[in-house]
Amino acid sequence: MKKAILFDLDGTLVDTIEDIRCAINHTVKLTYNREISREECMSVVGRGLKNALIGALAFSGARYPEDEIDILYHELISFYKNNACVYSKPYDGITEFLKSMSQNGYALGVLSNKSDVLVQEIVEKLFSDINFTFIQGFCDKIPLKPDKAGVEIFAKLSGVPIEEVIYVGDSEVDGETIINAHLEKGILVTWGFRPREIIEKFEKQGIKLVNTIEELKDGVN
């Protein structure tokens, strides 16, 4: 029987927040707005970097028309691509966990709302020895999570019925993705970018919360 696990990237597999914050702050400084803190950055990520940028600017009360946001967003992506893994690193035990799951016959995938060019860069640099079936970030062809489209593509590539895909994330966006895809098993980790009180509501909908790698191992088995 084929088995498959689909992971969110930021806050689930990798602590990327400082590199994201540096890219956002590089961009907001160009508009003479204030830089954001780590905590503020964690509160605005999850629904794509353009939305994170808009959220960061909102801390200064700044709002810009769509065409100006697009220009700032491209600057953010350009800076981030050149500085994608300055501070970012996998959470403790994640690399070993992924290797173990792969050796045990699981197809592995990554689905992120971050720009695809950045997702490919980060996964290649940090997980070059992991055999992923599917690595996908935001692009024009696939809607952002919590849309289930990316989960459907991974299920087809893995040869697993979509409802049997195990999804692991860290945010309310991931919880909504699990629900929208009607997955039988969904897991949210508590070491990511959201306070526990934001994600614990999903326990009532059958989604498991885990605090450690050991609990994650138990959760997927």
Side-chain angles (χ1 to χ4, degrees), residues 142-161:
I142 301 177
L144 291 171
K145 297 180 294 183
D147 192 284
K148 65 179 181 179
V151 186
E152 290 176 328
I153 295 170
F154 173 64
K156 289 180 181 178
L157 289 173
S158 304
V160 175

Side-chain angles (χ1 to χ4, degrees), residues 8 11-12 145 166-179 185-192 194-196 198-212 215-216 219-220:
D8 171 57
T12 301
K145 297 180 294 183
I166 301 170
Y167 184 98
V168 182
D170 76 303
S171 74
E172 72 281 8
V173 178
D174 298 308
E176 292 164 9
T177 303
I178 292 165
I179 293 167
K185 185 179 288 189
I187 299 171
L188 297 178
V189 303
T190 61
W191 57 72
R194 293 292 193 269
R196 187 184 181 96
I198 297 293
I199 59 174
E200 63 185 2
K201 64 183 180 182
F202 290 101
E203 287 184 298
K204 297 178 180 178
Q205 301 184 65
I207 296 173
K208 186 177 182 65
L209 267 60
V210 300
N211 305 299
T212 66
E215 289 182 6
L216 179 57
V220 301

